[in-house]
Amino acid sequence: MSSDQISVAVTRRLPDVVEARLKELFDVKLRDNDEPMTRLELAEIVKSVDVLVPTVTDRIDAALLAQAGPRLKLLANFGAGIDHIDIDTARQRGVLVSNTPGVLTDDTADMALALMLSVTRRIPEGLAVMQSGDWTGWAPNALLGGRLGGRRLGILGMGRIGQAVARRAAVFGMQIHYHNRKRLRSEIEEELDATYWESLDQMVARMDVISINCPHTPSTFHLMNARRLKLMKPTGVIINTSRGEVIDENALTRMLRAGELAGAGLDVYEHGTDINPRLRQLSNVVLLPHMGSATIEGRIEMGEKVLINIKTFADGHRPPDQVVPGVL
Ligand code: 8YV
C-alpha cells in the first residue's frame, strides 16, 4: 500500500505544521476540536483506519483493541510514555506500537530542574506575594529557601531523561546518585560522577531530593509507596516529571500535610486530572499541568517522529521507534 492510501486518524489537535505534513503524506482524519476522544469515538475510529495516532489522554486497552477492525496495524503514539497502551494485546492482534523517544528528553529534564528550584527557592510563594500587591520590600528573613548546591539528588530511573537531569543538576552543584534496574556502564557513571545504589530503600533514606524519571510499568507502580516515602528525610523534596502512578499520591499528600516531608514538585498525577484537593492546598508543593515536554520545538519534533514512524511502516519497513513488549 502506498503512503497516500494509508488511512490515519489522529486523536488530538497537533501543531499546524505537523497536521499539514500528515495531510500531505496520508489519507488523514484530523481532530477538529481539542477535546480528548470519548471511548465511543475511539472505538468507532479504530474500526476503519490503518494507523491511529493516540496520545497520553487515550486509553488503548484490550477492550478497545477488541473493537479494532482488521485494518488497524499501527499505533503511532504521539509521546514517549506508552503506559496508556496495552502493548501485549496489541502485539497479539498484530498491531505494532511506536513512540517518540529522545525528542522530549531535554525539555522534560529542564522541567525537573525548574520544579526543584521552584520548590526549594519558593518561587510560587514569591509570585503570589507580588501578584497580591502585598510586598512590603526586601527583608533579611523573607521567603528563605534552601540552596540546591551541595544537596544529594537521587534519580530514580537513569534512562535518557534521568541522565539529562543528572547533567543539569551537576551544574547546580548537586551530588548525583541513582537507582536503576540496570547499573550504567562505568564510563557513563564516571562522566556523570554518579553513585549507583542497588538498594532503592537505602538511596531514598540518604537523599535530599528524589527525582522520579522511570516509566510507569507494573513493576514501578507505587514504587514510592507509603513505606518508602517514610524512609525519606523530613527535609527531603520529591520531584515527579514521569508518571503519577509511580508515587502513592495519597500517602505523599498525608506526609506533606504532616510536615514529614519538606516539599514536592509534581507535573504528573496518579489519577490524571482528579488531583487530591488537599495536595492542591499545600504551600510547599508546586503543581504543574503535565507540561514537562510542552515546548513548541519538542511538539514539532514529536510530530516529525510520528510521521517518520508511519511513513516507514507504510513503505513496508519496521517503524524506527517501534516499542517491543518487555523492553520497558
Ligand atoms: C507527552 C509524556 O506530551 O511523552 C510522554 O510520555 O509524558 C508527555 O510529555 C504526552 O505523553 C503526549 O502523549
Side-chain angles (χ1 to χ4, degrees):
M1 198 187 303
S2 71
S3 293
D4 53 3
Q5 290 172 311
I6 284 258
S7 77
V8 178
V10 183
T11 64
R12 299 296 298 265
R13 293 299 316 269
L14 300 181
D16 291 347
V17 283
V18 177
E19 293 193 342
R21 192 75 185 120
L22 279 163
K23 277 200 253 178
E24 275 166 32
L25 288 174
F26 313 111
D27 167 19
V28 66
K29 289 187 183 64
L30 295 172
R31 187 82 171 136
D32 51 17
N33 65 64
D34 200 24
E35 295 299 311
M37 279 191 179
T38 62
R39 290 289 284 176
L40 223 60
E41 284 175 305
L42 273 175
E44 204 43 51
I45 206 93
V46 290
K47 288 193 171 80
S48 60
V49 293
D50 302 302
V51 179
L52 182 73
V53 179
T55 74
V56 69
T57 51
D58 306 301
R59 194 156 45 84
I60 315 292
D61 55 14
L64 187 90
L65 288 167
Q67 304 188 58
R71 289 181 67 164
L72 186 72
K73 284 285 172 280
L74 175 65
L75 297 167
N77 188 53
F78 182 86
I82 39 91
D83 53 329
H84 55 293
I85 302 177
D86 181 342
I87 53 171
D88 291 316
T89 303
R91 192 186 22 203
Q92 282 157 22
R93 299 184 59 95
V95 179
L96 302 183
V97 178
S98 62
N99 66 345
T100 62
V103 292
L104 30 74
T105 304
D106 288 336
D107 296 326
T108 309
D110 287 349
M111 196 56 95
L113 266 293
L115 281 170
M116 262 179 238
L117 284 166
S118 297
V119 175
T120 57
R121 298 299 302 273
R122 307 175 62 179
I123 291 172
E125 289 171 81
L127 178 64
V129 169
M130 298 313 285
Q131 287 179 336
S132 69
D134 291 342
W135 188 44
T136 51
W138 183 87
N141 290 315
L143 283 174
L144 298 185
R147 180 186 290 159
L148 279 187
R151 290 197 185 189
R152 291 173 145 213
L153 169 65
I155 299 175
L156 205 177
M158 201 56 149
R160 288 191 183 89
I161 298 176
Q163 292 179 36
V165 170
R167 289 200 176 87
R168 285 157 174 74
V171 174
F172 283 87
M174 299 186 86
Q175 296 165 26
I176 310 302
H177 299 256
Y178 76 99
H179 171 83
N180 201 40
R181 270 183 323 165
K182 269 184 18 204
R183 188 170 177 165
L184 296 179
R185 292 205 318 273
S186 55
E187 311 89 85
I188 306 181
E189 263 186 16
E190 274 164 37
E191 184 218 318
L192 298 173
D193 198 7
T195 305
Y196 175 64
W197 293 79
E198 194 176 339
S199 158
L200 178 57
D201 283 359
Q202 288 188 22
M203 180 177 89
V204 162
R206 288 165 180 79
M207 297 298 123
D208 300 304
V209 181
I210 293 285
S211 175
I212 309 290
N213 298 107
C214 59
H216 166 222
T217 66
S219 54
T220 64
F221 175 78
H222 278 195
L223 206 52
M224 291 304 288
N225 55 20
R227 182 192 65 78
R228 215 167 250 139
L229 286 166
K230 282 201 192 307
L231 297 176
M232 286 182 70
K233 295 181 184 180
T235 51
V237 166
I238 190 162
I239 304 296
N240 192 0
T241 50
S242 168
R243 283 293 181 271
E245 291 90 335
V246 180
I247 303 180
D248 178 340
E249 195 171 291
N250 284 334
L252 175 68
T253 307
R254 277 196 302 275
M255 287 185 62
L256 288 161
R257 272 165 61 85
E260 291 164 8
L261 208 54
L266 309 175
D267 189 41
V268 284
Y269 306 91
E270 189 176 344
H271 307 289
T273 52
D274 185 13
I275 297 163
N276 187 329
R278 294 200 164 113
L279 190 58
R280 284 195 266 118
Q281 284 152 10
L282 295 168
S283 63
N284 53 348
V285 170
V286 179
L287 305 180
L288 295 178
H290 197 159
M291 53 194 278
S293 69
T295 65
I296 183 63
E297 296 86 349
R299 289 284 186 265
I300 291 172
E301 286 168 17
M302 285 161 75
E304 189 64 27
K305 283 221 154 222
V306 167
L307 285 157
I308 292 169
N309 282 316
I310 302 175
K311 180 82 176 88
T312 313
F313 167 77
D315 293 344
H317 307 286
R318 188 178 175 278
D321 303 306
Q322 185 181 344
V323 180
V324 184
V327 293
L328 289 177

